[in-house]
Amino acid sequence: MTDAGRRNVRDLRRANRSRLLRELYFRGPLSRQDLISATGLSSASVSNVAADLIEAGVVVEAGAVESDGGRPRILLRVDTARFQVIGIDVGETRIRVERFDLGLAEQASADLPVDGARPDPRQVVEGIAVGLAELAADAHPVLGAGIGVPGIVRQDPTAVVHGQTVGWDGVPLEDLLRAHTDLPLFIDNGAATMGQAELWFGSGAGTGSAVFLLLGSGAGASLIADGASVTSAGEWGHTTVQIGGRRCRCGARGCLEAYVGAESVIARYLESEGAARIDPAEEERALGRILELAERDPSAAGQAARDVLGETALLLGVGIANLVNLLTPRRVIIGGWAGLALAPLLPRIREAAREHALRLPFSQVSIELGALGPDAVARGAATLPVAAFLASGGQRPALPAPGRVAG
C-alpha cells in the first residue's frame, strides 16, 4: 500500500473513532447498536472502533440494558476519570486556574491576583505558570491547558494576543509560556471560551444559533451559527453607541464598553452627584454595592445608582438589538461575573432590545442569563483540549516543538 493509501486508511479510522467518541461523550452511555444508528457506521466498524477505544482505556463498559428478545446490550461510556484538563481564565483582576476531569467536573482550583488594569504580560505568564505547577502536580495525565484571554487571538504561527484595552499589542503569549510548561496549550478569546462552555453544558445547549456576551471589567461577545463551533464575534464592546461619548479604554469615544463594562459602570456612578463612597479597585464588591443602593436606598446615593444602572440597561439593550438585527440569533446569552450580577436589570435590558430591534428577528430570539456561573470562561477554556482529544479520536496530543521565548 502506498503512503497515501496508508494515510487515507489511518485518516478514515481516526475519523470513525472521533465520530463514535463524540457520540459517547455528549450522549453516552450508549450501546453498540445505539452507536450504529447514531453514526451510520457499519456494525463491524463500530465493533472494531469500540474495541480500539476500550483497549486504549478511553472507553469502558457501563452496565447493560435489556433488549427485545435478545441478549442484554452492553452500554459504553467515556472514562472521564482517565485524563484531566486545565482551564484558565485570564481576567483583568485575577487569573483563575481550574483542573477538571474529562467530563469537565472540577477537581481543583486556584486564584492568583493581577495587579493593575493593564497587567504586564510577564506577570500574567508567571501567574499562569504558578497555577499550572500547583494544579498539574500529581494529577492524572493532563491532556493540555486551555486559556481564555481578553482581546483578539491570532495564530502567528503560535498564539499572539492583541488586547488593546489592557495594553497588549501582539503579545506572544504561547511562546512566553513555553519557558514554563510542555503541556499542549490552546489559547482563545475569553468570550469564545465562555460561549463554548455554555454551548456544551449550559444555556446554549441544543441551539444552532446564539450570541454569548461576556461582561466583566469590559465587554466581549462570541457566536455560534449553523451549529458550528463558537468563534469570537470581533470586538462587540467597541461598537459605537454614542457619537463623541465617553472615552473608552481602547482610546475611542462612545464605545459600548465605556457604558456597560463594570469598570465604566462604577466610574459613572462615582462621577454622579450624591454618589456614596465606594472603592473602585474592588470591582465585584463595588458593583454589588451599586446594585444594593439602587434597590434599597431612597437617598441621593440610591438615585444616582438607579440612574446609572438605568442607562446601563438601556445601552446594553441597544447593543443586543444591534446583534439581533445583524446576526438574527435564536438566543442571546449574558454571562461573565458582571453580566450575572446585572441580572436584576434583565427585564429592562429585554425591553430596550425590543424597542431598538426589528420586530421579526426580535420575535425569534430569547435573551437569557448564562447557566454556568462566573467561572464559565475557565470551564470553556478547558473544553479546548477536550475538543482536540475528541477530534483526534482519543489520541493524546503530541507535545509541541519548543517555541521562541521572548528574552
Side-chain angles (χ1 to χ4, degrees):
M1 183 181 292
T2 65
D3 287 345
R6 281 193 289 270
R7 281 197 301 273
N8 289 337
V9 170
R10 186 167 58 246
D11 291 345
L12 178 61
R13 193 170 189 84
R14 182 174 62 248
N16 288 344
R17 284 170 60 116
S18 177
R19 290 169 68 185
L20 190 146
L21 190 57
R22 286 183 62 85
E23 288 294 329
L24 288 174
Y25 185 82
F26 289 108
R27 300 176 183 87
L30 299 170
S31 69
R32 289 171 175 81
Q33 188 61 45
D34 294 330
L35 290 167
I36 292 169
S37 300
T39 63
L41 298 174
S42 69
S43 175
S45 293
V46 167
S47 293
N48 290 336
V49 171
D52 286 349
L53 292 171
I54 291 171
E55 183 179 357
V58 176
V59 168
V60 294
E61 294 185 351
V65 292
E66 295 295 329
S67 61
D68 297 333
R71 293 184 301 174
R73 293 179 178 175
I74 303 300
L75 295 175
L76 304 177
R77 65 171 177 84
V78 175
D79 185 0
T80 56
R82 171 71 171 172
F83 299 111
Q84 298 197 348
V85 291
I86 290 175
I88 302 170
D89 174 8
V90 178
E92 297 180 30
T93 59
R94 65 170 184 171
I95 300 168
R96 175 77 172 174
V97 184
E98 298 185 52
R99 191 178 79 236
F100 302 88
D101 69 12
L102 198 56
L104 276 299
E106 184 184 316
Q107 306 296 302
S109 65
D111 284 317
L112 300 112
V114 173
D115 294 331
R118 300 170 81 84
D120 182 86
R122 293 182 185 277
Q123 180 202 14
V124 171
V125 167
E126 289 170 5
I128 292 173
V130 168
L132 286 175
E134 179 179 336
L135 267 63
D138 301 323
H140 287 71
V142 176
L143 294 175
I147 306 171
V149 298
I152 300 168
V153 179
R154 293 284 184 262
Q155 297 296 324
D156 193 26
T158 56
V160 175
V161 182
H162 301 265
Q164 189 167 322
T165 59
V166 294
W168 288 19
D169 185 14
V171 172
L173 184 61
E174 184 173 352
D175 288 342
L176 291 172
L177 284 168
R178 276 286 151 245
H180 302 277
T181 182
D182 287 328
L183 284 175
L185 298 174
F186 305 82
I187 301 173
D188 204 346
N189 172 266
T193 69
M194 185 203 79
Q196 181 102 317
E198 291 287 351
L199 176 66
W200 281 21
F201 303 111
S203 297
T207 185
S209 174
V211 175
F212 306 93
L213 307 181
L214 175 62
L215 298 180
S217 297
S222 61
L223 62 93
I224 174 176
D226 299 324
S229 61
V230 174
T231 58
S232 172
E235 289 293 327
W236 169 71
H238 300 287
T239 54
T240 302
V241 292
Q242 284 200 8
I243 301 297
R246 291 179 62 85
R247 179 75 69 182
C248 180
R249 299 184 302 170
C250 73
R253 287 192 177 275
C255 293
L256 179 63
E257 183 175 295
Y259 296 91
V260 304
E263 181 179 306
S264 297
V265 173
I266 296 164
R268 283 162 46 232
Y269 171 73
L270 290 174
E271 294 164 7
S272 302
E273 186 175 347
R277 185 177 299 174
I278 57 174
D279 183 0
E282 298 185 25
E283 284 189 345
E284 295 187 35
R285 185 176 299 177
L287 184 58
R289 178 60 176 153
I290 293 169
L291 288 160
E292 180 183 355
L293 288 167
E295 181 181 2
R296 302 179 183 177
D297 195 323
S299 71
Q303 187 59 50
R306 287 185 285 275
D307 290 344
V308 166
L309 292 175
E311 184 183 40
T312 300
L314 170 62
L315 292 177
L316 185 52
V318 169
I320 290 172
N322 289 336
L323 290 172
V324 170
N325 289 341
L326 182 65
L327 302 172
T328 61
R330 296 298 181 179
R331 296 181 201 171
V332 174
I333 296 166
I334 303 171
W337 70 265
L340 298 176
L342 294 175
L345 305 183
L346 191 57
R348 280 185 280 175
I349 293 168
R350 287 176 175 145
E351 180 61 19
R354 183 192 65 78
E355 290 177 351
H356 291 85
L358 294 171
R359 286 193 298 273
L360 179 60
F362 185 80
S363 71
Q364 298 172 337
V365 70
S366 64
I367 301 172
E368 309 169 17
L369 295 176
L372 299 179
D375 293 334
V377 172
R379 185 180 298 272
T383 68
L384 302 179
V386 174
F389 182 70
L390 297 178
S392 73
Q395 300 293 322
R396 291 188 66 183
L399 295 180
R404 68 184 184 280
V405 178

